[in-house]
Amino acid sequence: MTKQEVSMLHERTLMHMFSKNIGRYENYVPISYLYRSKPQQYFWNIYNKTNGIMYKYIKNFGGDPSSSLNRNLHGLFFSANVSSTTGLPPAVSYYGDQRIHIPVSFMINSDRNLYFADFYCHYTKHHVTLVVTLKGTDADLFCRERLLSLNSKFNKFLFRRPHETHAMVSTKVTVEVFYTESINIFELLNDRVAFESFVPQKGNAALKTYVGLPKRKDCKICNLKTNDS
C-alpha cells in the first residue's frame, strides 16, 4: 500500500465515522490505560524467561493484506477499546485471559510519534490501527515514509492533551495501537503505574496472534477496491 493509498483509506475511515449510519456527532470517552490481552503462559514466560521484558515481534497478516506493516515492522499490539457507557474494556477477550494495563501517557507523549496505518473489519465493528513510534528510530523513519502522520494532541481517533494524563478515544471505531518498542513490564508493575487483570477468553487466541485475520474483502466501507468494483 502506497502512502497515497493510506491517505485515501484515512479519508474513507472519516467518512464512515461521521456517516448517518453510526451517528452525526463525535463520541469520545476518556481512557487512562491501554491494555494488552494474552494467555497466562505468555506472561509466565516474560516473568521467568525474559527478565520482565515484553519483546516486540513481527507484525502478522491481520487487517489489510496490502499494509506495508505486514512482515516488515516489529511491535506490540495494545487496545484502546472501551465501553462508551462505562469506559471499561470488554468483559471477555479473544486474545487471552490475562491483561496488562499500561498508562496511555507512557505511549502518547512528546517523545513519540503517532501514525494512521489501517482501517478494516471482520463483519462487525470497524477497526483502526494506529502506530506509535519512538522519535528518531528506524521504525519511526519507516512509518514516516509509508504512513499518515497524526497530531497526537488532537485527531479523530486517539489523542492526549499535554496537560492531561488521560487520553480521549473514539467509540465509533475500535482503536488499536501498534507500539514499536519492547517494554520492561517489571519496572512498570513495580512502580505501580501498570496493573494486571484477568478475564474469560473466547476463541482461538493463537490463530489471531500468529496468523492474523485479514480484513473482509467485500466490505465497501473499508476496502479501496472490492470484488465487484
Side-chain angles (χ1 to χ4, degrees):
M1 189 181 297
T2 66
K3 192 170 185 177
Q4 181 180 7
E5 288 173 326
V6 174
S7 296
M8 293 169 61
L9 197 61
H10 175 260
E11 293 177 5
R12 190 173 286 260
T13 309
L14 297 184
M15 289 176 59
H16 168 68
M17 290 175 64
F18 301 105
S19 69
K20 293 181 180 180
N21 291 336
I22 58 174
R24 292 179 54 193
Y25 303 105
E26 298 181 5
N27 293 320
Y28 297 91
V29 294
I31 58 169
S32 296
Y33 297 89
L34 298 173
Y35 60 91
R36 176 172 170 80
S37 302
K38 286 290 183 180
Q40 292 185 39
Q41 183 64 39
Y42 172 86
F43 288 96
W44 185 93
N45 289 335
I46 293 175
Y47 301 150
N48 294 279
K49 296 183 179 181
T50 65
N51 294 318
I53 306 297
M54 181 181 287
Y55 284 106
K56 58 186 179 180
Y57 60 92
I58 193 74
K59 166 73 172 63
N60 62 24
F61 290 101
D64 197 306
S66 300
S67 173
S68 58
L69 302 184
N70 296 346
R71 310 305 297 178
N72 283 319
L73 197 64
H74 289 74
L76 297 165
F77 267 112
F78 287 82
S79 180
N81 182 37
V82 296
S83 166
S84 59
T85 55
T86 67
L88 298 175
V92 298
S93 167
Y94 293 91
Y95 297 92
D97 55 355
Q98 186 170 344
R99 284 176 178 161
I100 185 163
H101 305 251
I102 293 180
V104 67
S105 57
F106 178 83
M107 297 186 193
I108 311 297
N109 58 54
S110 59
D111 294 326
R112 291 159 175 79
N113 284 326
L114 183 67
Y115 298 90
F116 172 87
D118 202 359
F119 177 49
Y120 67 95
C121 75
H122 295 137
Y123 297 93
T124 54
K125 189 174 181 179
H126 278 80
H127 295 245
V128 166
T129 300
L130 307 179
V131 179
V132 172
T133 63
L134 191 63
K135 289 182 177 179
T137 59
D138 289 343
D140 187 42
L141 179 60
F142 179 93
C143 293
R144 193 185 315 161
E145 293 177 346
R146 295 167 176 83
L147 305 181
L148 181 66
S149 178
L150 297 176
N151 183 350
S152 62
K153 299 176 184 177
F154 183 75
N155 59 77
K156 298 298 185 181
F157 312 110
L158 175 70
F159 63 91
R160 176 175 169 256
R161 302 180 184 94
H163 62 283
E164 296 175 337
T165 57
H166 69 271
M168 302 298 292
V169 64
S170 173
T171 60
K172 292 191 174 183
V173 289
T174 297
V175 177
E176 55 188 18
V177 173
F178 192 62
Y179 181 64
T180 59
E181 299 295 319
S182 300
I183 301 176
N184 189 330
I185 62 173
F186 266 178
E187 289 185 355
L188 297 178
L189 291 170
N190 288 337
D191 292 341
R192 297 187 178 182
V193 296
F195 69 94
E196 296 173 297
S197 64
F198 297 88
V199 293
Q201 176 184 319
K202 286 187 176 181
N204 187 339
L207 177 63
K208 294 179 174 63
T209 298
Y210 298 112
V211 179
L213 297 177
K215 73 191 303 181
R216 176 183 170 186
K217 294 180 179 180
D218 61 344
C219 179
K220 296 182 180 180
I221 295 174
C222 60
N223 283 281
L224 296 180
K225 296 180 179 180
T226 55
N227 293 336
D228 58 354
S229 62

